[in-house]
Amino acid sequence: MNKSELIEALAAQKGLSYKKAEEIINTIFDSMTEAMLAGERIEIRGFGSFVVNEYKAYTGRNPKTGEAIPVKPKKLPFFKVGKELKERVAG
């Protein structure tokens, strides 16, 4: 399922216009993005949690040449699936 399919599903289930459903989905995603940018953890019970993992700088290697390459520090979003969702998917 992609974003437009999610919008269509919301519109169909709740009897909303596509524009209104799109506005709702965009608000949710924007709020989640802003929270993660602020370093906050997002937890949706029964679904999972989103956190931002910070990685320090390190020296990596070019696999072709073996040359040492400095890798800059970075922050990446990470999703951890919740127990209930994991059980439902597993059957």
Side-chain angles (χ1 to χ4, degrees):
M1 175 177 276
N2 61 33
K3 186 176 175 182
S4 62
E5 291 170 339
L6 180 61
I7 293 168
E8 290 171 6
L10 175 63
Q13 286 182 10
K14 298 300 177 185
L16 302 170
S17 69
Y18 184 89
K19 282 287 186 192
K20 187 64 176 174
E22 181 179 33
E23 187 178 310
I24 291 168
I25 296 297
N26 285 336
T27 301
I28 292 169
F29 288 166
D30 290 346
S31 297
M32 291 174 71
T33 302
E34 288 173 17
M36 290 194 335
L37 286 172
E40 297 176 28
R41 179 176 192 262
I42 301 167
E43 184 175 330
I44 303 170
R45 299 272 181 194
F47 184 72
S49 59
F50 298 86
V51 294
V52 176
N53 285 342
E54 293 188 39
Y55 298 93
K56 296 179 181 178
Y58 62 93
T59 302
R61 296 240 173 245
N62 180 332
K64 261 187 179 176
T65 64
E67 174 188 359
I69 299 172
V71 178
K72 296 178 184 176
K74 57 188 164 190
K75 295 179 183 179
L76 296 173
F78 179 76
F79 174 72
K80 181 177 179 185
V81 67
K83 180 181 176 186
E84 186 179 321
L85 178 61
K86 188 186 298 185
E87 289 172 354
R88 289 182 71 182
V89 170

